[in-house]
Amino acid sequence: MGGIFGCINIAITESKDSNVNQYLSKALNTMERARGLTQQLLTFAKGGAPVQKTTLLFPFIQETAQFALSGSNVSCRYDIAKDLWPCIIDKSQICQVIDNIIINAQQAMPAGGAIEMSARNISIGDKEHQMLQKGNYVRISIKDQGIGISKKMLARIFDPFFTTKPKAMVLVSPPVTQSSIVMAEQ
Ligand SMILES: Nc1ncnc2c1ncn2[C@@H]1O[C@H](COP(=O)(O)OP(=O)(O)OP(=O)(O)O)[C@@H](O)[C@H]1O
Ligand SMILES: [Mg+2]
């Protein structure tokens, strides 16, 4: 991968054509993602823990969402708390989570539309949450205007390889789908 990165960088330096440079920059961004994914696969292969670091979520999450939506007819509006806490995250994993949720939202609105993303600081008390311990967290909510997920399907969405996509979309449910991710704050 190092060789590919090096060659693309040299091509960017040598090229005077802005169109070509634009494509080369996109290639570099894609390579960055491939590098993150490879790193993650290596982490799992070694049975290692996620690579967690204290990170500012924005603009990183916004850039990830914009990248996932580039060239599509779906836009994203952001409502981010100004004093958002930095979080302890594995950047590559969070990048993938955002990427997948945004692509799901986009696929749920084939005729186009708007996604709303919000980010808030939240404090969770003792035994207040099924899975999270008491502490400070950042909650990211992502809402689309698509068909939504029926209650029956909702119970299955985390089953590995569960999908409704190759078949016709026949889900009937509320008009809005909202996903929330909560990340630990340092
Ligand atoms: N925003 C959404 N709106 C409506 N349905 C959704 C949304 N997100 C997920 N789903 C439903 O949950 C199912 C599982 O989603 P998941 O992302 O795991 O797989 P997929 O999107 O079908 O396939 P893949 O992500 O591997 O391309 C989807 O097939 C779809 O039925
Ligand atoms: Mg998906």
Side-chain angles (χ1 to χ4, degrees), residues 1-173:
M1 270 199 181
I4 304 176
F5 267 109
C7 287
I8 297 178
N9 270 320
I10 293 170
I12 289 177
T13 318
E14 293 288 315
S15 163
K16 289 178 180 58
D17 184 325
S18 63
N19 271 344
V20 171
N21 277 346
Q22 202 184 325
Y23 287 120
L24 288 171
S25 298
K26 281 197 173 172
L28 264 191
N29 277 336
T30 311
M31 287 291 298
E32 264 313 328
R33 284 161 172 265
R35 177 153 71 178
L37 189 59
T38 311
Q39 188 59 50
Q40 205 181 323
L41 289 172
L42 284 173
T43 306
F44 283 127
K46 287 180 196 152
V51 187
Q52 291 189 318
K53 280 193 189 139
T54 304
T55 311
L56 283 176
L57 296 180
F58 287 84
F60 148 66
I61 285 184
Q62 187 167 345
E63 284 164 6
T64 304
Q66 287 310 129
F67 189 81
L69 291 174
S70 50
S72 85
N73 53 359
V74 171
S75 59
C76 190
R77 291 193 286 260
Y78 302 90
D79 172 18
I80 313 301
K82 288 212 167 63
D83 60 344
L84 205 68
W85 295 321
C87 289
I88 305 162
I89 56 164
D90 181 318
K91 211 172 167 182
S92 166
Q93 287 190 355
I94 295 302
C95 178
Q96 267 198 282
V97 169
I98 299 294
D99 203 47
N100 283 318
I101 293 176
I102 293 289
I103 289 170
N104 279 347
Q106 184 202 334
Q107 289 171 341
M109 299 188 286
I115 297 171
E116 284 169 40
M117 183 187 290
S118 72
R120 293 281 179 275
N121 296 328
I122 57 164
S123 292
I124 293 182
D126 208 12
K127 300 196 180 113
E128 221 178 82
H129 194 279
Q130 259 187 327
M131 287 188 289
L132 298 172
Q133 291 175 354
K134 180 180 174 194
N136 292 332
Y137 296 86
V138 167
R139 181 175 59 211
I140 310 281
S141 302
I142 299 167
K143 199 191 278 189
D144 65 55
Q145 304 164 320
I147 192 167
I149 309 176
S150 68
K151 265 197 175 161
K152 200 173 134 213
M153 292 293 177
L154 204 55
R156 301 184 57 198
I157 56 166
F158 292 116
D159 292 354
F161 309 115
F162 171 72
T163 183
T164 55
K165 298 221 168 134
K167 299 164 210 151
M169 293 272 274
V170 287
L171 306 181
V172 182
S173 53

